[in-house]
Amino acid sequence: MRSLKNLDIEKSIESKKLVYEESWSDKFDAVGRYFIFSILIFYSFLVFKEIKPSPNNSLDYFVLSSLLTFCLYSSYCKFTEKNLKEIKFYIHKEEAKRRILEYGKKYKYRISKISSNLIFFNEPINGFSGWGEEKTTVIFFQDQSIFYTVIQNGRKTNAPVLISQHFIRKDFKKILNQKKFDLNPKKSYFDRFFNDPIN
């Protein structure tokens, strides 16, 4: 789990952004990622200019467009990873906390930092959990809403979370707004992309 030294719960909720003492390695990691993405975006635009429009170049356009989209989206995710997303609910705060905790236990998250207003859900990024690579969902509780974000901690770099933040939002919204609390089996990413009904 990434170190969130001196995390200020009240200021984080008030500003809707994680407020903590960021280490120099975290700052260096973020600057390094922005630098790499900037170079890739810059050279993608340069190559776009050199490609002459023709049916034979459609694959080149597709590859460059995909690379450019990935770099822009990854930069956005990295830039906003400390921003807290809000989900409102109309049940009692303790009931909301109970539901969130049951969700975490059922799906085998390593739950830590349990307090009246804060919970961490941790899960390994890959099967080699001994490497210390984890994805952490930070959840703050208020009377009628939760604030959360998802961050990653890796051995070498703290990559932005690209997809799972959207799935966790959908799960939280569902369980916090159910009249009758019921946990369904957790689906794989493939199932969520192709078999989930659109709400």
Side-chain angles (χ1 to χ4, degrees), residues 73-177:
Y73 179 62
S74 298
S75 299
Y76 170 78
C77 289
K78 186 65 181 175
F79 184 73
T80 60
E81 71 176 354
K82 290 188 284 187
N83 292 356
L84 300 176
K85 296 91 178 170
E86 183 178 12
I87 298 175
K88 293 185 179 293
F89 53 81
Y90 301 98
I91 56 177
H92 194 276
K93 175 183 171 183
E94 291 305 314
E95 172 63 12
K97 187 176 178 183
R98 184 187 73 81
R99 291 184 182 191
I100 294 286
L101 281 171
E102 281 200 26
Y103 172 87
K105 289 172 186 173
K106 178 162 185 176
Y107 299 130
K108 301 188 180 349
Y109 287 96
R110 182 174 63 79
I111 303 171
S112 60
K113 203 74 176 180
I114 302 174
S115 70
S116 60
N117 293 322
L118 177 63
I119 298 174
F120 290 167
F121 283 173
N122 307 287
E123 63 177 331
I125 295 171
N126 53 48
F128 302 100
S129 56
W131 287 358
E133 297 186 337
E134 280 192 320
K135 182 165 50 186
T136 300
T137 306
V138 184
I139 310 156
F140 298 92
F141 289 85
Q142 270 196 325
D143 288 337
Q144 293 296 307
S145 60
I146 63 166
F147 295 90
Y148 78 96
T149 191
V150 187
I151 56 176
Q152 288 191 163
N153 174 59
R155 286 190 306 159
K156 295 180 180 178
T157 59
N158 296 325
V161 177
L162 303 177
I163 298 171
S164 59
Q165 57 184 320
H166 304 297
F167 294 144
I168 198 85
R169 178 177 184 82
K170 184 175 181 181
D171 288 346
F172 283 172
K173 282 181 80 172
K174 184 176 180 180
I175 65 173
L176 289 173
N177 291 293

